[in-house]
Amino acid sequence: MAAGFFISKSVGIVAIVLGLGAVATIIALSVVYAQEKNKPTDPGIADTTTTTAAPSPTAAPNTTAAPSTTAAPNNPWNRWRLPTTLRPESYEVTLQPFLTPDANNTYIFKGNSSVVFVCLEATDLILIHSKKLNYTLQGSFHTSLHAVDGSSVPSISNTWLEIPTQYLVVQLNGLLQQGKRYRLVSIFTGELADDLAGFYRSEYVDELGNKKVVATTQMQAADARKAFPCFDEPAMKATFTVTLIHPSDHKAISNMPARSTWKQQIDGKSWNVTEFQTTPKMSTYLLAFIVSQFNYVHNNSGNVLIRIWGRPKAIAEGQGSYALKVTGPILNFFERHYNTAYPLPKSDQVGLPDFNAGAMENWGLVTYRENSLLFDNTYSSIGNKERVVTVIAHELAHQWFGNLVTLQWWNDLWLNEGFASYVEYLGADSAEPTWNIKDLMVLNEVYKVMATDALTTSHPLSFREDEINTPAQISEVFDSISYSKGASVLRMLSDFLTEDVFKKGLQSYLHTFAYGSTTYLNLWSHLQKAVMENNVSLPQSISNIMDRWTLQMGFPVVTVNTRTGFIKQNHFLLDPTSVVERPSVFNYTWIVPITWKTRETIGDRYWLTKRSAIKNQFKVSSSSWLLLNLNVSGYFRVNYNPENWDQLLRQLSTNHQAIPVINRAQIIDDAFNLARAKYVSVTLALNTTRFLSRETAYMPWEAALNNLHYFQLMFDRSEVFGVMTKYMQKQVMPLFNHYKNITNGWMDIPSGLMDQYNEINAISTACSYGITECQNLSTEYFRKWQQNVTNNPIPPNLRSSIYCSMVATGGEEAWNFIWERFKEATVVSEADKLRTALSCSLQPWILSRYLQYTLDPNKIRKQDATATINSIASNVVGQPLAWDFIRGNWRMLFSQYGGGSFSFSRLILSVTQRFSTEFELQQLEQFKADNQDIGFGSGTRALEQALERTRANIKWVKENQETVLAWFQGETASI
């Protein structure tokens, strides 16, 4: 799933500066579609699927009761994991979605399915997952059991739905025999709800004002069972033959190409029946099917058909062209990278109006939020383009790593998502080679996740299998640790092995386990084999090195003294007084690969294998400097003795380009985080920003803005912010003028990706810190746009920043104008920019009204509600309003979005990010106590992290406010 927590660059920038920072995340946490379709057992089967009543949200009215609840809780149906007695081999699934509501105003689908399974161990019990399905009884039972290959079959004694653990339970009068095959047949009805999970409906309004309904799927992680009964665990791989019964003016697509389509009369109405080719052996969570009136553009890459699907108007406007252009090259890149042909005959990619994640890697039918697939040259920014190419690369990487070879259980999710989050940069680089996009991993993945991984409430990449059981626990694993830390440590591994050796081990792993399931240890053993075959020198085995990075949380800070050559490592914690309660067999030490250079030379990689050591080459003369972790290839922070810090700062002030650009960003990011953790003074960190008045490169500016955003969050309600604003204006004005000059007064677009991003930084920072010339620019744009609403004069890259400035400075008139533009926006990336900018208002009553709008899906789509609340919370005026809103509506929000929704962790972290007083800590603790009965679902860990961050913030502000105020006063005294 795309996850990787993607944020549109232009939206993210506004965020950082206006205090919309953590918010705009149009992220996508990876969510997978795996639905299976059943083929009719006879041509008239669709006529027999009618149930006696419409589905209820829980269980069918025509089901038998579960056995008495006094049954021992240790019964197999009270456990979350399937027994290992049965293994599915093949499914036939037929589904018929009804795209108009029934008499109860409910959208439903009818279905039937059969699964052939083999008995591995004699048993009189069948457990199969089922969620919110209503069954048509066969005799007295929910299902029927048949022999395959002529074997005898025991009769059914009882069936029931075990709602808490989501099972259909089938008890038998005799034993299933080891080695024999059986077929289980079910007829059922489900609700085609708008809950973005399982088989669900998405809606949009076409250009004529007609409401259109799409039936689509999202199976990952545990919602295939909501579409049809199945053994819904990733290692339970099987083949699927899907058949869709759909209106004749709609198209049906699934993982595989259609085998045949015919017309059939059902209940006096003509329907199309489309049967799809049987899939390879695959996991339920990767199944997908869609019934829609979408159109597509297509081409071929070798023998692979590529289609980009979307709303007909979007496709007609060419919004699928960019995705079509890059998909073939990215598929070709991964075929070479994996040395394995793409395993399927086609690659469909579909942009959906309603989608909970960023994208989902369903095998052969990848689903996306529209903003992650569709791109419009007139409206979309460079950030939108980067998002499209990286999300496509992320999902296509999964077609091999995750789909062809699948992790056995969700405890190893990090390897699946971390790997895709790493190689998405390689795939995107192959499609856009001039962008240098691989460098952005340091900012987008490494530094972003270190903020979480430096907390005692973090967690290791790998969980024990028995730690992850329930759907909510599975959802919680889809976090920034799995995606971004996973990507960061795999990037480090590839760097010290070399990419060629890494690829050889990877290729061997994929060839060995194709169509099977693995654990992370299987990958380590194949990489070890490649290490030995290529004579790579390592201090210990891959497993010994990597276990320290995957089985314990956190990361080290490496401290070196350039006078003595003494080097040591410590577990880096943002609050050095916090207590680490999670034990580690490695005692929080790591085997650290260290690259380094001095002013004069680049050294060989050095391995720190103990807590401390002496390396004479790290001694440098008083006029030189030492720099560790070149290009931030290692997942650790670096601290130096004061003399070396001084030399690095001197180098930055005289000729900053003598230090590589990524390491200029590293010096800033490490210094600010070391100051948070009290390794260095806060004034040293602030001193690293002085050279920015001469810096035009994106990465150092972005690192500085990200870190100064923390100062803004801590101080924008205090006197510090007044002088901080003056300093920011002084530093950004040269950058603002630089871009005004090279763009011919904002008329031209800078050439490279990084340059375009830094132009956005210049505008965003200048406007949000009140530089008059920038605010006048946004006012002038607003005036021109009002005069001709159909002709937006603002360049797409600058829209997020300028829209935000318009709303912040233009009062109710500007808000209403942008709201009208939002309501009529047909390009989703444009709608996202407008929706986010609406949270930039400085009027509390407007923001309170906007919060209420998030509860009305006719105003704000359900998928965008939490991101909108997050945006409002990131605004200093909106933050207390959003906090009151969440506290007042928690029960309703929780019931509406469900405990498994990944949105809750972001919601909690966003709304509490400014908390830095004892009173706010008390409120947060009270919120936790008041809602114990409801719970926090996937936000449970985020709530603990928010409490930890708040305590750290309280301490940090007390200790640093006076010093920071004095530093900014000193820097701005002459202004």
Side-chain angles (χ1 to χ4, degrees):
M1 206 154 45
F5 308 98
F6 298 96
I7 303 182
S8 146
K9 177 62 205 155
S10 43
V11 171
I13 286 292
V14 179
I16 285 162
V17 185
L18 212 245
L20 299 182
V23 35
T25 26
I26 308 164
I27 321 196
L29 209 136
S30 247
V31 174
V32 200
Y33 283 108
Q35 245 173 315
E36 311 187 339
K37 304 276 183 201
N38 280 356
K39 178 182 172 185
T41 49
D42 68 73
I45 191 75
D47 292 290
T48 69
T49 57
T50 309
T51 53
T52 54
S56 71
T58 47
N62 58 354
T63 58
T64 53
S68 161
T69 51
T70 56
N74 203 27
N75 284 318
W77 51 83
N78 300 121
R79 301 179 201 139
W80 285 99
R81 293 296 301 277
L82 286 167
T84 56
T85 48
L86 309 175
R87 187 184 68 224
E89 289 190 340
S90 63
Y91 293 83
E92 294 185 345
V93 185
T94 297
L95 293 171
Q96 180 183 21
F98 291 81
L99 303 182
T100 52
D102 64 11
N104 298 316
N105 204 32
T106 302
Y107 290 82
I108 66 164
F109 64 89
K110 297 177 180 180
N112 60 80
S113 66
S114 69
V115 55
V116 173
F117 59 86
V118 63
C119 177
L120 302 178
E121 188 182 320
T123 180
D124 60 0
L125 179 71
I126 300 170
L127 293 185
I128 189 166
H129 285 110
S130 176
K131 180 181 177 184
K132 297 185 178 178
L133 295 175
N134 303 328
Y135 289 79
T136 298
L137 299 185
Q138 300 176 53
S140 305
F141 304 115
H142 291 74
T143 188
S144 59
L145 184 65
H146 309 271
V148 176
D149 305 330
S151 54
S152 61
V153 59
S155 60
I156 296 175
S157 63
N158 194 13
T159 63
W160 73 90
L161 293 170
E162 186 66 30
I163 305 296
T165 45
Q166 302 175 357
Y167 287 128
L168 167 56
V169 184
V170 181
Q171 288 181 321
L172 305 173
N173 285 314
L175 291 175
L176 298 173
Q177 299 303 306
Q178 183 177 357
K180 298 289 187 185
R181 285 170 174 74
Y182 303 88
R183 184 190 305 271
L184 192 71
V185 177
S186 309
I187 304 167
F188 51 87
T189 307
E191 183 181 354
L192 196 70
D194 61 351
D195 57 0
L196 311 179
F199 199 17
Y200 74 93
R201 79 177 188 276
S202 173
E203 298 175 357
Y204 65 95
V205 176
D206 71 11
E207 56 273 27
L208 301 176
N210 302 314
K211 183 173 92 166
K212 299 290 187 179
V213 176
V214 177
T216 183
T217 54
Q218 171 57 41
M219 309 304 201
Q220 192 182 38
D223 283 314
R225 63 193 68 173
K226 200 163 161 279
F228 61 99
C230 54
F231 297 92
D232 199 9
E233 293 188 357
M236 293 280 191
K237 290 191 168 188
T239 64
F240 297 87
T241 305
V242 171
T243 301
L244 291 177
I245 303 171
H246 55 97
S248 52
D249 59 348
H250 283 59
K251 303 177 184 80
I253 52 176
S254 186
N255 303 79
M256 297 295 286
R259 176 182 287 146
S260 60
T261 300
W262 64 92
K263 289 198 181 301
Q264 187 165 322
Q265 290 290 315
I266 302 173
D267 294 336
K269 186 181 170 190
S270 177
W271 293 76
N272 275 19
V273 182
T274 301
E275 181 185 325
F276 297 91
Q277 294 174 21
T278 302
T279 70
K281 198 172 163 192
M282 60 182 278
S283 302
T284 50
Y285 80 86
L286 294 167
L287 200 61
F289 24 87
I290 300 175
V291 172
S292 74
Q293 290 184 307
F294 285 175
N295 286 341
Y296 63 86
V297 288
H298 73 283
N299 63 21
N300 287 80
S301 176
N303 296 322
V304 179
L305 171 66
I306 296 168
R307 296 184 295 190
I308 311 297
W309 296 78
R311 290 175 293 109
K313 185 172 192 296
I315 296 300
E317 289 171 350
Q319 293 182 38
S321 300
Y322 180 65
L324 187 66
K325 177 186 150 195
V326 298
T327 295
I330 292 171
L331 276 176
N332 292 338
F333 169 80
F334 284 126
E335 287 190 316
R336 295 191 304 273
H337 193 77
Y338 297 129
N339 191 26
T340 305
Y342 176 69
L344 300 178
K346 57 99 175 170
S347 175
D348 279 324
Q349 304 191 82
V350 184
L352 292 165
D354 300 282
F355 193 63
N356 205 8
M360 180 60 219
E361 67 266 20
N362 316 301
W363 217 4
L365 176 50
V366 184
T367 45
Y368 296 79
R369 273 197 187 202
E370 285 191 1
N371 63 14
S372 301
L373 183 70
L374 304 181
F375 178 83
D376 185 290
N377 276 318
T378 308
Y379 291 95
S380 302
S381 66
I382 185 66
N384 298 132
K385 186 178 258 192
E386 188 218 321
R387 176 166 172 78
V388 168
V389 72
T390 51
V391 178
I392 288 174
H394 181 103
E395 304 311 329
L396 294 183
H398 276 310
Q399 303 300 299
W400 290 264
F401 200 101
N403 298 8
L404 180 65
V405 178
T406 309
L407 277 308
Q408 188 170 296
W409 184 243
W410 301 108
N411 61 306
D412 279 336
L413 175 81
W414 75 270
L415 189 53
N416 195 19
E417 294 300 350
F419 183 85
S421 299
Y422 166 49
V423 299
E424 77 184 47
Y425 288 88
L426 310 187
D429 180 66
S430 73
E432 295 287 1
T434 63
W435 284 5
N436 296 323
I437 195 168
K438 289 192 279 191
D439 293 353
L440 289 182
M441 266 202 79
V442 174
L443 294 171
N444 295 354
E445 316 297 337
V446 181
Y447 287 154
K448 196 162 284 180
V449 75
M450 278 181 166
T452 298
D453 207 20
L455 301 174
T456 58
T457 42
S458 184
H459 64 82
L461 279 169
S462 270
F463 292 91
R464 292 192 322 276
E465 190 169 338
D466 60 8
E467 287 183 280
I468 309 299
N469 293 295
T470 69
Q473 287 170 337
I474 294 167
S475 264
E476 214 176 351
V477 181
F478 286 84
D479 66 359
S480 62
I481 297 290
S482 292
Y483 284 75
S484 297
K485 182 177 181 177
S488 301
V489 299
L490 289 168
R491 172 177 175 262
M492 174 174 69
L493 172 61
S494 177
D495 185 73
F496 71 69
L497 290 182
T498 72
E499 195 172 302
D500 279 349
V501 172
F502 184 78
K503 279 197 299 192
K504 282 175 183 162
L506 175 64
Q507 291 164 4
S508 162
Y509 165 84
L510 288 170
H511 294 162
T512 303
F513 297 107
Y515 305 103
S517 302
T518 63
T519 72
Y520 72 95
L521 293 170
N522 299 119
L523 180 59
W524 291 171
S525 65
H526 281 263
L527 288 171
Q528 187 64 43
K529 189 174 144 204
V531 161
M532 295 169 79
E533 286 171 357
N534 291 273
N535 297 316
V536 178
S537 173
L538 296 176
Q540 293 190 32
S541 69
I542 295 269
S543 184
N544 282 353
I545 294 169
M546 294 308 295
D547 281 355
R548 285 161 171 76
W549 298 97
T550 62
L551 302 182
Q552 60 183 352
M553 67 180 185
F555 58 90
V557 52
V558 171
T559 303
V560 63
N561 187 323
T562 57
R563 292 178 304 169
T564 62
F566 180 73
I567 184 167
K568 65 176 180 177
Q569 58 168 299
N570 299 92
H571 182 189
F572 182 79
L573 295 168
L574 273 179
D575 178 0
T577 63
S578 57
V579 178
V580 179
E581 292 176 351
R582 186 186 279 267
S584 164
V585 293
F586 306 109
N587 293 315
Y588 293 102
T589 60
W590 289 263
I591 298 176
V592 190
I594 299 174
T595 51
W596 59 280
K597 77 180 296 265
T598 64
R599 191 204 301 267
E600 299 80 20
T601 183
I602 295 180
D604 294 330
R605 191 184 316 271
Y606 168 72
W607 287 91
L608 181 61
T609 58
K610 299 177 294 189
R611 205 173 278 280
S612 64
I614 298 278
K615 181 163 174 66
N616 286 325
Q617 284 173 287
F618 288 167
K619 289 186 202 172
V620 299
S621 67
S622 58
S623 63
S624 186
W625 42 259
L626 176 70
L627 188 65
L628 300 190
N629 202 12
L630 304 184
N631 294 326
V632 194
S633 58
Y635 184 68
F636 58 93
R637 294 204 179 276
V638 182
N639 187 21
Y640 304 99
N641 53 308
E643 294 84 353
N644 198 60
W645 276 116
D646 289 344
Q647 287 301 324
L648 289 170
L649 291 175
R650 192 167 293 127
Q651 183 67 67
L652 288 175
S653 67
T654 54
N655 175 18
H656 57 273
Q657 291 179 333
I659 293 174
V661 65
I662 297 180
N663 289 97
R664 301 205 293 276
Q666 173 211 21
I667 286 169
I668 294 169
D669 205 81
D670 278 353
F672 273 93
N673 281 276
L674 290 165
R676 291 267 301 274
K678 297 188 194 158
Y679 283 89
V680 301
S681 68
V682 71
T683 53
L684 169 64
L686 288 164
N687 287 341
T688 65
T689 68
R690 282 178 168 157
F691 82 99
L692 290 175
S693 56
R694 292 180 304 284
E695 176 68 88
T696 58
Y698 168 68
M699 291 189 69
W701 262 105
E702 183 69 0
L705 291 172
N706 285 341
N707 283 288
L708 289 166
H709 182 237
Y710 177 72
F711 283 61
Q712 180 183 350
L713 292 174
M714 293 302 100
F715 296 130
D716 62 5
R717 299 173 289 177
S718 78
E719 65 171 323
V720 173
F721 198 59
V723 280
M724 178 178 173
T725 297
K726 283 187 187 173
Y727 177 73
M728 293 301 294
Q729 290 175 339
K730 179 179 89 165
Q731 293 301 83
V732 81
M733 204 61 215
L735 189 71
F736 182 83
N737 288 329
H738 167 76
Y739 279 102
K740 184 171 74 171
N741 293 336
I742 70 167
T743 62
N744 187 23
W746 317 108
M747 299 298 291
D748 303 331
I749 299 173
S751 55
L753 176 81
M754 306 280 189
D755 250 356
Q756 291 183 55
Y757 279 171
N758 219 25
E759 180 195 24
I760 297 166
N761 273 346
I763 288 270
S764 181
T765 308
C767 277
S768 63
Y769 279 98
I771 285 178
T772 308
E773 187 180 343
C774 188
Q775 293 186 333
N776 289 345
L777 178 70
S778 77
T779 304
E780 178 64 16
Y781 276 133
F782 181 33
R783 190 184 59 75
K784 281 185 187 168
W785 197 8
Q786 279 181 306
Q787 289 168 357
N788 184 355
V789 171
T790 59
N791 182 23
N792 185 337
I794 308 162
N797 282 357
L798 306 185
R799 287 183 183 177
S800 290
S801 308
I802 296 293
Y803 291 172
C804 186
S805 184
M806 282 180 186
V807 171
T809 58
E812 184 184 3
E813 181 192 13
W815 198 95
N816 290 340
F817 179 83
I818 295 293
W819 175 250
E820 289 303 316
R821 302 294 77 75
F822 168 69
K823 286 197 293 184
E824 67 192 24
T826 57
V827 177
V828 71
S829 60
E830 178 70 2
D832 285 336
K833 295 181 182 77
L834 293 161
R835 178 178 53 77
T836 303
L838 288 165
S839 62
C840 296
S841 174
L842 303 179
Q843 306 286 331
W845 72 269
I846 289 177
L847 294 172
S848 291
R849 181 181 67 182
Y850 196 25
L851 281 164
Q852 291 303 317
Y853 284 5
T854 65
L855 301 179
D856 181 354
N858 293 315
K859 288 189 167 70
I860 300 293
R861 278 189 181 276
K862 211 179 237 193
Q863 67 174 16
D864 296 323
T866 52
T868 305
I869 298 167
N870 292 347
S871 296
I872 296 166
S874 294
N875 175 345
V876 64
V877 179
Q879 187 268 321
L881 305 172
W883 175 226
D884 289 348
F885 177 80
I886 283 172
R887 286 187 293 170
N889 293 285
W890 183 253
R891 186 177 298 273
M892 187 276 300
L893 288 167
F894 198 80
S895 65
Q896 185 165 336
Y897 292 100
S901 166
F902 65 84
S903 316
F904 284 112
S905 57
R906 299 208 95 51
L907 199 58
I908 289 169
L909 293 174
S910 291
V911 82
T912 60
Q913 60 183 342
R914 272 187 178 81
F915 282 14
S916 55
T917 67
E918 293 289 351
F919 179 63
E920 286 165 332
L921 177 62
Q922 286 169 18
Q923 287 186 318
L924 192 54
E925 288 170 333
Q926 190 64 48
F927 173 67
K928 180 182 175 182
D930 289 348
N931 294 289
Q932 285 299 330
D933 60 325
I934 310 167
F936 303 94
S938 61
T940 304
R941 183 179 286 112
L943 181 60
E944 295 309 313
Q945 290 170 347
L947 287 161
E948 183 180 355
R949 279 192 170 125
T950 301
R951 292 184 190 103
N953 291 345
I954 291 167
K955 202 178 298 183
W956 188 87
V957 168
K958 276 182 190 161
E959 291 166 356
N960 291 290
Q961 184 162 348
E962 292 307 315
T963 310
V964 170
L965 177 63
W967 189 89
F968 280 127
Q969 286 171 334
E971 292 295 311
T972 55
S974 59
I975 296 175

